[in-house]
Amino acid sequence: MTKKILTALCTLSFLFAPASFAKRTVDFTKWTTPEGLLVYYVSAPEIPMVDITLAFAAGSARDGERPGIANLTNELLLGGAGKLDANQLAIAFDEVGATVQNEVGREMATMHLRTLSDKNSFE
């Protein structure tokens, strides 16, 4: 029943969406860094923010005989950076209005960063 309601709501949202919404295409650039990292870049200058998602082949399927290793490793990503401990790092993100999230799934681990694109947000 819930699935049918969600499907109906999604269908209605597309039926009543503005014509410009339906015609919007996303142009992106794709490249691979010298280290082999695949990058997808989408420019949207009308939105003053940067949204970065990193995906690692580090999901729980790779834990082997030690369940929880992928989750532990992912949690350590926000455990500090350079001279900042975890608390100082969280405060630094908070001061510029950035949000950081990380999670582990079966096949991969991800980290998401969203912040304003203003130069001061990157200092």
Side-chain angles (χ1 to χ4, degrees), residues 10-25:
C10 289
T11 303
L12 286 173
S13 68
F14 283 110
L15 289 175
F16 294 105
S20 61
F21 176 78
K23 293 180 183 178
R24 173 94 162 116
T25 60

Side-chain angles (χ1 to χ4, degrees), residues 35-118:
E35 294 79 19
L37 178 67
L38 182 59
V39 177
Y40 290 92
Y41 173 75
V42 178
S43 178
E46 66 275 10
I47 304 171
M49 71 173 40
V50 174
D51 210 351
I52 300 170
T53 300
L54 302 172
F56 306 92
S60 60
R62 300 178 186 276
D63 281 353
E65 297 295 318
R66 297 183 167 192
I69 293 291
N71 193 45
L72 173 66
T73 303
N74 200 24
E75 289 300 319
L76 290 173
L77 290 174
L78 294 177
K83 295 180 180 180
L84 302 178
D85 64 23
N87 233 7
Q88 293 167 322
L89 184 60
I91 290 168
F93 282 131
D94 191 51
E95 286 177 346
V96 295
T99 59
V100 180
Q101 297 173 304
N102 57 345
E103 59 189 272
V104 174
R106 176 101 178 112
E107 299 297 324
M108 69 179 132
T110 57
M111 179 175 259
H112 310 279
L113 169 68
R114 177 175 283 172
T115 187
L116 296 173
S117 58
D118 178 65

